[in-house]
Amino acid sequence: MSVLEISDLIVAWDPATPTREPVFATDVIERLRCAGDHRAARIVQRMPAEAGVLEPESVDRLLVRVHTELQRLGEELHMAQRFAELLGPVLAVTRSAGSRSLRVVDIGCGVGYVIRALAATGVLGADVELLGVDMNPVLVAEASRLAVAEGLRCDFMCADAFALDEDATVYISSGVLHHFSADALASFFRAQDRPGTAAFVHYDIAATRLAPVGAWVFHRARMREPLGRHDGVASARRAHGDGTLLAAARQASGMEIFLFEPVRHTNPFCAGMRPVLGIRPELVLGLRHALGRRAKGLVGTGGVHTPTRARR
Ligand SMILES: C[S@@+](CC[C@H](N)C(=O)[O-])C[C@H]1O[C@@H](n2cnc3c(N)ncnc32)[C@H](O)[C@@H]1O
């Protein structure tokens, strides 16, 4: 049976315009019930609706609250530092290879925590432009508002991960891959194999057997919103296995693909977020040098045989 996240169902934007489409509570409740998730159905049942349509302002406020709680989780997991530790070496080898204008684009940035944290510390260097994109204009507006309030040099805009106009030296994301079906992942990665792009670094939940239990404890302790608690566990249940991720990432055929600290090298009790990394083959040696001892954590596509979890 498919695992659904409430946050994917309660809002609908046409990413091309972006125009908001009405979401009928009964449709969402029916989908959740059909998926056997009666608890999620009850959460949606309690949400305000007018003439059967979920109230947009209330949905928006809820999603901003949940993403703000998600930021706290990101802070606790040191997501910005983890990105910086990989992006620093990736950008260093890209600079050495002659790239002048460097740009990092965070896909599905939510309220923009990672991009804002990288901008606040300036850890990647003043020559690196930072941009966050998300298909939800409300989250983009909140990310922009926070960046202005914090006096940061970074930008946010609406974009669909599958129709990206924005060029990047490195594309990144955190907690986004599991929102896409295994079939859609290939086109997600392929779209980032474009001229001028040196690499991508996409962090998501490692699909261990204990990940849902860990997610339950973590989200119970750290999140107040029932939707956030529900979706946190659903995310861990939906997480793609290493095999699925690597097979999809290999569709970016101009990149060499690695997992960094992949599941089989970690304690299943601690495995949390780990990235799939794609990088131009000519930059791999330089990256290994720049990573130093940490290069041991890079495992190429030949080295991982974790079975894909059957789902959806
Ligand atoms: C779990 S949240 C992660 C947010 C943020 N990266 C973080 O770590 O806090 C997933 C985000 O992906 C966005 N998203 C989902 N599908 C997308 C798509 N096709 N294009 C762009 N953003 C998308 C959602 O709007 C949401 O903000």
Side-chain angles (χ1 to χ4, degrees):
M1 213 175 281
S2 59
V3 179
L4 301 172
E5 283 180 68
I6 303 169
S7 55
D8 286 338
L9 306 178
I10 58 173
V11 70
W13 291 95
D14 173 357
T17 22
T19 314
R20 191 175 199 133
E21 288 154 11
V23 176
F24 289 90
T26 45
D27 292 348
V28 178
I29 291 165
E30 182 60 17
R31 277 194 71 183
L32 290 166
R33 281 191 185 138
C34 285
D37 195 341
H38 298 279
R39 181 174 154 242
R42 283 194 297 277
I43 292 173
V44 177
Q45 238 163 2
R46 289 196 292 270
M47 293 175 61
E50 208 175 304
V53 174
L54 291 173
E55 239 177 47
E57 295 77 17
S58 152
V59 167
D60 292 347
R61 280 196 302 272
L62 174 60
L63 287 180
V64 168
R65 278 202 305 280
V66 168
H67 278 83
T68 306
E69 292 192 341
L70 211 50
Q71 163 163 341
R72 280 207 290 274
L73 256 58
E75 286 167 3
E76 204 155 322
L77 292 172
H78 303 286
M79 287 312 301
Q81 292 91 326
R82 291 192 203 199
F83 271 113
E85 281 174 16
L86 267 179
L87 289 175
V90 168
L91 290 167
V93 293
T94 310
R95 275 189 199 95
S96 316
S99 287
R100 291 223 181 89
S101 58
L102 300 174
R103 190 185 210 208
V104 172
V105 174
D106 184 5
I107 304 173
C109 64
V111 294
Y113 159 63
V114 169
I115 286 290
R116 287 187 289 110
L118 293 173
T121 56
V123 63
L124 300 181
D127 59 338
V128 180
E129 188 188 341
L130 296 167
L131 173 71
V133 301
D134 199 285
M135 72 173 185
N136 186 328
V138 175
L139 299 178
V140 169
E142 179 64 3
S144 305
R145 184 188 74 76
L146 291 167
V148 170
E150 292 159 0
L152 300 175
R153 207 169 55 83
C154 56
D155 295 293
F156 295 94
M157 61 186 289
C158 277
D160 179 7
F162 294 92
L164 278 175
D165 286 332
E166 295 303 319
D167 289 330
T169 316
V170 189
Y171 289 102
I172 66 171
S173 73
S174 63
V176 173
L177 298 180
H178 65 267
H179 285 273
F180 307 141
S181 71
D183 292 343
L185 275 178
S187 62
F188 172 80
F189 287 115
R190 218 181 292 119
Q192 294 163 37
D193 183 5
R194 46 208 279 172
T197 299
F200 52 71
V201 179
H202 296 293
Y203 268 92
D204 205 6
I205 302 159
T208 64
R209 232 185 294 173
L210 289 172
V213 181
W216 186 86
V217 174
F218 199 43
H219 287 78
R220 188 85 204 160
R222 291 286 179 259
M223 294 189 100
R224 292 190 200 107
E225 286 294 342
L227 181 150
R229 287 177 169 180
H230 171 276
D231 282 7
V233 177
S235 305
R237 292 178 60 209
R238 301 171 87 187
H240 295 288
D242 290 354
T244 303
L245 279 182
L246 291 173
R250 273 199 297 266
Q251 298 301 310
S253 55
M255 302 278 189
E256 201 157 318
I257 305 299
F258 301 91
L259 282 173
F260 195 56
E261 299 168 332
V263 171
R264 71 195 184 114
H265 295 307
T266 57
N267 177 337
F269 285 99
C270 304
M273 303 284 282
R274 56 95 181 83
V276 58
L277 178 129
I279 185 161
R280 296 281 170 216
E282 62 274 21
L283 302 178
V284 172
L285 200 59
L287 176 65
R288 286 190 182 280
H289 279 125
L291 282 170
R293 289 162 62 92
R294 285 176 301 138
K296 277 194 287 189
L298 282 178
V299 174
T301 50
V304 175
H305 302 287
T306 309
T308 297
R309 184 182 291 169
R311 61 188 196 92
R312 286 184 295 206

